[in-house]
């Protein structure tokens, strides 16, 4: 009798333990182009972290990378992302708006720092020795300077570039919008090639030898230096003023719930804010939010004045239509030429 | 002359039926979905989108470069098909085997490779730089990319027909005193023209819509080197599906009309009155 | 042998092959076109792929993600090419053996996928089967995924390669006319016998060309597949998409190595075609001798 009860209890606990322990997770993170190296490292870190508290679980994290807008469109059209980690808040806003019920409109309030666990900024990459003597935005419109930047219509990074230039135009002209527009118009006269993505521009600048200066994500510029022989050929110039690029992250609730990943997806993003997550971001040349980690890597990231999208441009909901949609400031630059 | 079924050859109903069903499922219904989507626009909105200056500039560029590339292919392709079929020479088999490779090469790779070749510091581009002009990032670069991507079309449509022309016909003509040019004009041209036109039309149509290989070499400057498919991408990135489908519909209609004209010309050649 | 027959024969030969001078010019021209427009770009790809030696080349193509991309590409080709072959034969048959109202329109519709931008070719399936598409809700309710999964990739591949076989066969079959088939029928062959014993031998080369082109293009398609793939590494990436991913990872050597692999695969198929061609020719020659 007692033996039988014991056996039953053992069986029950085995079943219970089994269901609590051996879970298989397949998490899909839909991200933009320059985060490949970051998430490669982070996924390994997170898998370890999760296994510490959930030994026996199998965690497989799948990655999808592409242009930020294109990736957002994929999720809108049914790509089953558990989490999105994109270049602009505007792209996640569109997911919330167009794919009804995928995530709430106020998604950005669910995690600290407006759901942006790491930041970056826009800097200049110039050829070794800086032959054209480029120090700041004003130098980009000098007569013989040619500038490489991707197309803001198709590249999220290029929109940050554009806004940084515009912010400089405003500051240099005491806030005069007309003069700021004139500055960016002049700047784009110095652009011979508009690639569709940030990496295309990097290739044009690095491999095909076009242009004197590349406007790039800070992390991309560091990466170009790290590439074979890059440090011998290029150097980074930090302008007096730039923009705080804030790439956001969010759980896509509808997909995560459907796949039973709600809990792990949330943990995945939260762990980005942990010291370990922040350290990985910093190692991949993203500016960490965490004060201690930021202090540790302070030497790596030069100090400069940074405008922000929310304070200076009224958020993406205002900036996107004003600057980049059809007929916006960017289109006006090329009209009537 | 209405529908005429050859009395002794069977299979008209079966083949036509299968052709139509397959074509509808794979091509026509999905394309109709695009038309339905674009139909959310009023006619005025549609017209405003497709007559915007940037769209018109891109239209001119896309169709212009595709046309020139198809002409270049018409010449190169015919020469290649001719030497491959008619002559034996060192390397013939190598060329013959490699003609189709542009199809197998992902278009993006083709674009990157061609840009490396024709960029101002590239293998060929540097000579152009010395002569004072640019190939990559100009319409010329786009044309070259399209020529590469569509190269197999003319060769592969002309080649089998040329190989199929019976030797006796030309020999007989020559024995009857026809000069080589006359043989060419009166025997070869009529036999080859339908296939040549097909190859030309296909190369042209494919060139108009090509995206992957062109965006790397084009430079993508608004009003100057911006192709139509890129404008579709731009619209999509603004979540403007209707705008994107409007340009898609316009491209499709223009290409359809051009292809139809070529196919009609072809039929007139085949059935001389 | 009189001198007049000799001169007639040489004239016949000249008509067919051209004078030695023009022949040489054309061959040189052919080589030149081939080198400039085809060989150089391909050389760039291969030289970049082998820049760091064969070790790096094999590392790139034997990596698990590359292998799963290869597998997906082969699956897509194996499904789409036979379907398009069947379509091509049937379409070429009804277009070239009969005349009917609307034939030009049908032929133009067959060509249409060539003129549809790859971007659009992918987009139409998203408009149909995507979450916001016409069948989106129904598919979601039944948990069926078409776009961003294998079915979407196969559909996009079929779409861009629909016309190849048909396009190769139509001019050939038109050129050949219907006499031989009619003769076979009058001699008592039934439909299938006529098709297998008269038509197929006649269109064999066009058929093989068509399949080869179709296969090459199906392997290399990038734009349309890119729209419907979702780019999930190791899951929905075909080889061309894997090339793009590697390229975007600054891994140029690996990107071009995988592109070289695609070229080698294509070349293998093309050589297979040539080998079968020469083998059949030899068989035919030996049969003629008996």
């Amino acid at each position: 009798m007692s033996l039988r009860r014991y056996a039953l209890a053992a069986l029950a606990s085995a079943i219970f333990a089994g269901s609590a322990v051996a879970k298989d997770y397949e998490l899909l993170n839909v991200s933009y182009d320059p985060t490949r190296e970051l998430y490669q490292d982070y996924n390994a870190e997170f898998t370890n972290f999760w296994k510490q508290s959930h030994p026996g679980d199998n965690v497989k994290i799948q990655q999808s990378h592409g242009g930020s807008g294109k990736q957002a469109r994929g999720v809108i059209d049914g790509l089953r992302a558990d989490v999105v980690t994109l270049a602009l808040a505007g792209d996640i806003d569109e997911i919330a708006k167009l794919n009804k019920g995928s995530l709430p409109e106020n998604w950005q309030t669910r995690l600290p720092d407006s759901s942006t666990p790491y930041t970056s900024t826009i800097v200049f990459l110039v050829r070794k020795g800086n032959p054209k003597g480029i120090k700041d935005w004003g130098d980009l419109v000098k007569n013989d300077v040619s500038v490489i930047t991707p197309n803001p219509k198709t590249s999220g990074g290029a929109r940050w570039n554009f806004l940084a230039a515009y912010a400089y135009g405003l500051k240099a002209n005491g806030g005069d919008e007309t003069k700021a527009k004139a500055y960016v118009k002049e700047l784009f006269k110095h652009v011979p090639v508009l690639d569709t993505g940030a990496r295309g521009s990097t290739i044009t600048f690095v491999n095909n030898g076009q242009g004197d200066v590349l406007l790039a994500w800070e992390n991309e510029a560091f990466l170009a230096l790290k590439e074979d022989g890059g440090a011998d050929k290029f150097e980074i110039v930090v302008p007096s003023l730039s923009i705080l690029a804030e790439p956001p992250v969010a759980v896509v609730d509808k997909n995560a719930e459907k796949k039973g990943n709600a809990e792990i997806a949330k943990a995945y993003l939260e762990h980005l804010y942990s010291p370990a997550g922040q350290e990985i971001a910093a190692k991949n040349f993203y500016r960490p939010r965490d004060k201690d980690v930021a202090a540790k890597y302070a030497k790596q990231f030069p100090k400069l004045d940074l405008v922000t999208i929310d304070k200076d441009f009224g958020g993406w909901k205002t900036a996107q239509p004003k600057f980049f949609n059809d007929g916006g400031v960017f289109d006006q630059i090329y009209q009537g030429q | 002359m209405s529908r005429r079924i050859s009395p002794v050859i069977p299979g008209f109903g079966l083949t036509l039926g299968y052709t139509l069903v397959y074509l509808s499922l794979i091509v026509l219904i999905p394309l109709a979905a695009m038309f339905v989507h674009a139909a959310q626009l009023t006619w005025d909105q549609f017209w405003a989108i497709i007559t915007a200056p940037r769209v018109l500039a891109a239209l001119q560029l896309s169709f212009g470069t595709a046309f020139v590339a198809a002409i270049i292919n018409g010449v190169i392709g015919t020469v290649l098909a001719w030497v491959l079929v008619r002559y034996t020479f060192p390397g013939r088999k190598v060329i013959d085997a490699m003609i189709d490779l542009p199809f197998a090469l992902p278009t993006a790779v083709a674009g990157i490779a061609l840009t490396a070749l024709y960029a101002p510091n590239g293998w060929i581009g540097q000579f152009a730089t010395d002569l004072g002009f640019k190939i990559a990032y100009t319409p010329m670069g786009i044309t070259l990319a399209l020529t590469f991507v569509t190269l197999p079309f003319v060769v592969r449509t002309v080649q089998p027909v040329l190989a199929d022309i019976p030797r006796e016909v030309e020999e007989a003509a020559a024995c009857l005193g026809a000069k080589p040019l006359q043989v060419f004009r009166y025997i070869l041209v009529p036999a080859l023209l339908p296939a040549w036109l097909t190859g030309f039309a296909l190369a042209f149509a494919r060139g108009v819509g090509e995206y992957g290989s062109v965006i790397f070499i084009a430079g993508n400057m608004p009003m100057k080197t911006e192709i139509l498919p890129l404008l579709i991408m731009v619209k999509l990135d603004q979540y403007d599906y209707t705008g994107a489908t409007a340009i898609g519909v316009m491209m499709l209609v223009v290409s359809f009309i051009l292809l139809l004209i070529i196919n009609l010309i072809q039929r007139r050649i085949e059935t001389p009155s | 042998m009189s001198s007049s027959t000799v001169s007639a024969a040489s004239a016949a030969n000249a008509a067919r092959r051209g004078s030695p001078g023009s022949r040489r010019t054309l061959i040189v021209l052919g080589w030149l076109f081939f080198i400039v427009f085809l060989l150089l770009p391909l050389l760039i790809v291969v030289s970049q792929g082998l820049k760091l030696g064969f070790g790096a080349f094999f590392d790139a193509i034997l990596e698990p993600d590359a292998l799963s991309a290869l597998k997906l590409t082969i699956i897509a080709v194996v499904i789409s090419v036979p379907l398009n072959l069947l379509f091509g034969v049937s379409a070429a048959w009804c277009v070239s053996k009969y005349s009917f109202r609307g034939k030009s329109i049908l032929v133009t519709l067959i060509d249409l996928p060539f003129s549809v931008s790859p971007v659009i070719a992918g987009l139409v399936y998203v408009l149909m089967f995507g979450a916001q598409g016409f069948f989106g809700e129904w598919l979601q309710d039944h948990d069926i995924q078409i776009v961003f999964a294998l079915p979407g990739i196969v559909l996009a591949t079929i779409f861009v390669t629909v016309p190849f076989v048909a396009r190769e066969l139509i001019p050939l079959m038109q050129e050949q006319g219907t006499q031989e088939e009619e003769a076979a029928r009058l001699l008592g062959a039934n439909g299938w016998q006529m098709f297998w014993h008269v038509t197929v031998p006649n269109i064999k080369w066009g058929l093989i060309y068509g399949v080869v082109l179709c296969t090459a293009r199906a392997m290399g398609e990038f734009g349309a597949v890119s729209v419907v793939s979702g780019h999930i590494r190791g899951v929905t990436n075909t080889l061309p998409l894997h090339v793009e991913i590697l390229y975007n990872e600054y891994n140029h050597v690996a990107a071009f190595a995988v592109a070289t692999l695609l070229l080698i695969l294509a070349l293998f198929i093309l050589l297979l075609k040539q080998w079968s061609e020469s083998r059949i020719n030899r068989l035919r020659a030996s049969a003629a001798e008996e």
Side-chain angles (χ1 to χ4, degrees):
Chain A
M1 224 27 201
S2 72
L3 191 69
R4 203 161 145 207
R5 234 162 87 193
Y6 176 76
L8 268 176
L11 189 69
S13 74
I15 292 169
F16 178 75
S19 70
V21 174
K23 250 186 132 177
D24 285 347
Y25 292 104
E26 220 169 64
L27 199 69
L28 175 58
N29 176 4
V30 171
S31 194
Y32 63 114
D33 264 327
T35 59
R36 291 162 205 273
E37 294 79 10
L38 167 66
Y39 280 105
Q40 214 167 357
D41 292 354
Y42 178 73
N43 289 347
E45 153 66 24
F46 176 76
T47 311
N48 279 337
F49 163 77
W50 183 262
K51 282 194 169 172
Q52 278 165 20
S53 50
H54 303 76
D57 279 14
N58 275 320
V59 183
K60 198 174 153 204
I61 300 168
Q62 296 174 326
Q63 283 295 139
S64 167
H65 293 274
S68 188
K70 189 178 173 190
Q71 294 293 77
R73 227 165 51 236
V75 177
I76 290 169
D77 286 324
L79 182 59
R80 294 178 183 178
D82 297 288
V83 297
V84 283
T85 52
L86 297 179
L88 324 165
D91 287 329
I92 302 184
D93 282 338
E94 292 292 336
I95 298 176
K97 198 170 93 192
L98 294 176
N99 193 340
K100 295 265 178 296
S102 53
L103 71 169
E105 297 253 357
N106 69 348
W107 59 272
Q108 218 167 355
T109 61
R110 296 193 298 183
L111 285 167
D113 301 312
S114 301
S115 293
T116 54
Y118 42 78
T119 66
S120 190
T121 186
I122 301 301
V123 296
F124 303 162
L125 192 67
V126 297
R127 304 204 181 272
K128 193 74 187 172
N130 197 357
K132 295 278 167 87
I134 292 157
K135 300 242 158 42
D136 203 355
W137 292 98
D139 300 325
L140 301 184
V141 292
K142 284 197 299 201
N143 263 339
D144 58 340
V145 174
S146 136
V147 181
I148 304 293
T149 172
N151 191 336
K153 291 284 217 177
T154 49
S155 156
R159 279 173 225 164
W160 292 114
N161 291 351
F162 186 94
L163 291 180
Y166 193 83
Y168 170 83
L170 281 180
K171 192 184 144 202
N173 295 298
D176 185 333
E177 292 228 359
T178 323
K179 284 188 177 150
K181 275 182 201 168
Y183 168 74
V184 286
K185 181 164 185 171
E186 185 59 33
L187 174 62
F188 273 83
K189 278 191 189 153
H190 291 257
V191 178
V193 180
L194 282 170
D195 281 289
T196 49
R199 296 251 157 142
S201 280
T202 312
I203 303 296
T204 301
F205 182 77
V206 172
N207 291 32
N208 296 332
Q210 297 302 296
D212 303 304
V213 53
L214 172 75
L215 307 185
W217 292 93
E218 185 177 50
N219 53 301
E220 288 276 289
F222 275 116
L223 213 57
L225 291 191
K226 223 175 79 178
E227 282 303 297
D228 54 322
D232 305 329
K233 289 186 234 153
F234 311 105
E235 57 189 64
I236 292 175
V237 169
V238 181
S240 66
L241 170 106
S242 193
I243 193 162
L244 183 70
E246 297 167 287
V249 300
V251 175
V252 185
D253 302 83
K254 189 161 83 176
N255 294 340
E257 276 158 24
K258 203 169 185 176
K259 289 154 82 176
N261 288 343
E263 187 196 356
I264 193 172
K266 190 158 168 272
Y268 180 79
L269 294 186
E270 278 167 355
H271 192 61
L272 276 172
Y273 291 87
S274 71
Q278 292 284 295
E279 185 101 24
I280 285 176
K283 274 189 191 141
N284 284 285
F285 311 112
Y286 285 89
R287 295 183 173 220
R289 290 283 193 186
D290 185 278
K291 292 268 171 340
D292 296 336
V293 179
K296 189 175 161 194
Y297 285 87
K299 254 204 253 152
Q300 181 176 314
F301 300 109
K303 272 198 152 44
L304 71 164
D305 279 345
L306 294 172
V307 298
T308 70
I309 181 80
D310 289 325
K311 269 212 317 278
D312 301 82
F313 291 99
W316 279 108
K317 284 192 178 82
T318 316
Q320 173 70 30
K322 178 177 171 189
F323 289 97
F324 306 117
N325 278 6
D326 282 357
V329 173
F330 179 73
D331 279 355
Q332 289 162 24
I333 285 176
Y334 285 98
Q335 258 156 26
Q337 258 188 10
Chain B
M1 178 192 77
S2 74
R3 189 182 107 173
R4 180 181 62 85
I5 296 181
S6 175
V8 288
I9 297 184
F12 179 74
L14 179 72
T15 54
L16 184 68
Y18 181 73
T19 302
L20 288 177
V21 168
Y22 189 87
L23 211 54
S24 303
L25 286 179
I26 298 289
V27 179
L28 301 181
I29 294 175
L31 286 179
M34 181 172 78
F35 278 81
V36 171
H37 206 97
Q40 293 173 9
L41 296 165
T42 67
W43 176 252
D44 288 344
Q45 286 170 321
F46 179 76
W47 191 248
I49 290 172
I50 64 167
T51 54
R54 266 171 85 175
V55 176
L56 289 179
L59 183 82
Q60 210 180 352
L61 180 73
S62 279
F63 281 89
T65 50
F67 187 77
V68 175
I71 295 265
I72 295 176
N73 268 330
V75 177
I76 297 177
T78 312
V79 171
L80 281 172
W82 181 269
V83 298
L84 287 177
V85 170
R86 289 292 165 98
Y87 307 140
T88 44
F89 58 95
R92 186 181 75 94
K93 289 205 161 156
V94 178
I95 296 184
D96 196 19
M98 288 180 73
I99 290 284
D100 301 318
L101 287 182
F103 280 159
L105 194 65
T107 50
V109 178
I112 296 162
L114 288 165
T115 312
L117 197 58
Y118 293 113
N121 64 347
W123 290 1
I124 293 184
Q126 54 184 323
F127 299 114
T129 314
D130 291 344
L131 295 173
F133 68 100
K134 258 185 8 177
I135 301 178
Y137 316 123
T138 67
M140 210 192 321
I142 302 176
T143 309
L144 280 170
L146 295 180
T147 308
F148 175 80
V149 173
T150 59
L151 187 71
F153 279 114
V154 175
V155 184
R156 290 312 194 204
T157 43
V158 170
Q159 208 177 359
V161 178
L162 190 60
D164 228 46
I165 296 175
R167 177 186 288 263
E168 296 79 18
V169 178
E170 283 165 75
E171 283 176 356
C175 288
L176 293 170
K179 296 198 172 60
L181 266 182
Q182 285 175 311
V183 174
F184 182 74
R185 165 73 184 80
Y186 291 104
I187 296 178
L188 292 176
V189 168
L192 292 182
L193 198 57
W196 187 89
L197 270 175
T198 301
F200 174 85
L202 297 184
F204 175 65
R206 170 102 160 80
V208 172
E210 177 53 22
Y211 178 73
S213 62
V214 177
I215 48 164
F216 289 97
I217 204 168
N220 307 322
M221 301 303 288
M223 306 298 290
K224 288 188 200 124
T225 53
E226 198 175 45
I227 54 165
L228 273 177
L230 177 62
L231 283 184
I232 295 180
M233 276 311 225
V234 165
K235 298 254 183 227
L236 286 177
D237 274 4
Q238 293 165 29
Y239 309 100
D240 180 6
Y241 283 46
T242 13
T245 48
I247 297 182
V249 163
M250 191 251 313
M251 279 176 78
L252 198 63
V253 170
V254 176
S255 304
F256 181 81
I257 293 170
L258 286 171
L259 284 176
L260 190 63
I261 291 171
I262 288 174
N263 281 330
L264 285 172
I265 295 174
Q266 221 175 324
R267 276 191 77 190
R268 280 188 76 146
I269 298 169
E270 278 161 24
T271 51
S273 47
Chain C
M1 195 185 273
S2 74
S3 68
S4 70
T5 52
V6 169
S7 76
S10 76
N13 202 35
R16 215 175 135 71
R17 306 175 56 105
S19 68
S22 69
R23 198 170 89 208
R24 206 168 303 133
T25 317
L26 281 174
I27 290 175
V28 169
L29 215 57
W31 262 105
L32 204 71
F33 288 153
F34 172 73
I35 290 171
V36 172
F37 287 98
L38 221 135
L39 202 58
L40 276 178
L42 298 180
L43 270 182
I44 290 231
V45 174
V46 176
S47 72
Q48 296 282 322
L50 294 175
K51 203 161 81 181
L52 299 182
F54 282 96
F57 175 79
F58 284 112
D59 284 350
I61 62 174
L62 294 176
E63 185 225 354
D65 286 339
L67 290 178
S68 82
L70 174 65
K71 201 174 114 196
L72 185 63
T73 298
I74 292 176
I75 293 174
V77 167
V78 165
I79 300 177
S80 55
V81 172
L83 285 174
N84 282 337
L85 171 65
L86 201 61
F87 166 78
V89 173
S90 133
W93 185 267
C94 68
V95 164
S96 61
K97 302 290 179 195
Y98 313 100
S99 63
F100 52 91
R101 208 180 274 276
K103 188 155 122 181
S104 291
I105 292 183
L106 179 64
V107 174
T108 311
L109 285 177
I110 293 171
D111 291 341
L112 205 55
F114 280 139
S115 64
V116 175
S117 176
V119 178
I120 292 287
L123 181 66
V124 291
Y125 289 112
V126 173
L127 291 179
M128 296 255 294
F129 304 119
Q132 318 300 318
F134 294 111
F135 303 112
E137 222 160 289
W138 187 88
L139 289 169
Q140 263 187 337
D141 291 346
H142 293 76
D143 211 30
I144 302 169
Q145 191 143 27
I146 291 189
V147 287
F148 311 120
L150 180 68
I153 293 170
V154 170
L155 277 174
T157 308
I158 293 182
F159 185 103
V160 291
T161 53
V162 159
F164 276 97
V165 178
R167 253 318 165 189
E168 214 48 59
L169 290 183
I170 291 172
L172 191 62
M173 285 166 80
Q174 274 172 344
E175 168 79 22
Q176 286 170 347
T178 57
Q179 294 96 324
E180 286 188 44
E181 274 90 358
E182 278 165 12
R185 284 290 279 170
L186 294 175
L187 291 171
N190 70 27
W192 286 114
Q193 284 173 326
M194 174 201 73
F195 178 72
W196 285 113
H197 296 291
V198 178
T199 312
V200 170
N202 274 338
I203 61 169
K204 195 171 51 211
W205 295 125
L207 209 63
I208 292 175
Y209 274 139
V211 169
V212 165
L213 292 190
C214 191
T215 309
R217 183 87 166 78
M219 283 192 326
E221 177 50 24
F222 169 76
V225 172
S226 150
V227 178
V228 295
S229 134
H231 305 273
I232 306 169
R233 210 183 162 127
V235 183
T236 61
N237 270 326
T238 61
L239 273 185
L241 298 179
H242 190 62
V243 173
E244 192 208 16
I245 286 200
L246 291 169
Y247 176 76
N248 277 336
E249 278 169 5
Y250 289 116
N251 203 342
H252 290 203
V253 173
F256 282 100
V258 175
T260 306
L261 171 69
L262 268 168
L263 284 178
I264 293 172
L265 285 177
L267 204 56
F268 176 73
I269 295 169
L270 297 170
L271 288 174
L272 211 62
K273 181 207 88 186
Q274 285 210 328
W275 174 78
S276 66
E277 197 172 16
S278 61
R279 199 181 148 77
I280 290 173
N281 281 343
R282 221 176 306 134
L283 284 176
R284 195 190 281 158
S286 67
E289 270 169 30
E290 278 166 18

